[in-house]
Every structure is written in structure tokens, then in C-alpha cells.
Amino acid sequence: MTAETGVHLSPELLAILACPNCHSRLAVDHERSELVCSNPECALAYPVVDQIPVLLVDEARHR
């Protein structure tokens, strides 16, 4: 059994998702299975668990 890697979210969903902290766009980091804030002043990375984005500031890590 192998674990699937990468983030597989629809382009439509990615187009409407925003950083809960600063409301900037999110980019996909496939290697870390995260959505990362495009605002360098915020720079939070949100995990994607089982293809579900966990958009909680308390669960995010600082990049």
C-alpha cells in the first residue's frame, strides 16, 4: 500500500480559496502537501489532509 502524495484540488476550488489570516491567494506546495499564502508578510502554510485543506490559523505553520 502506498500513500498518495501531492495536493489534488480542483482549479475552481483553488481559485476561490484565500488565506484565513490575511485573505491573500493560496498557492499549492505539492511536496509538502500544503497550501501556502502568497503574501510574504503572512507566509502561513496550511496542511492538506486526505485532500481536504485545513484552513485554520492555529493549524498553520510559519514558513
Side-chain angles (χ1 to χ4, degrees), residues 23-47:
H23 309 291
S24 295
R25 293 189 63 118
L26 295 169
V28 177
D29 182 340
H30 290 284
E31 288 183 16
R32 291 184 171 251
S33 293
E34 295 176 329
L35 295 177
V36 294
C37 181
S38 60
N39 179 350
E41 293 177 11
C42 178
L44 290 176
Y46 300 91

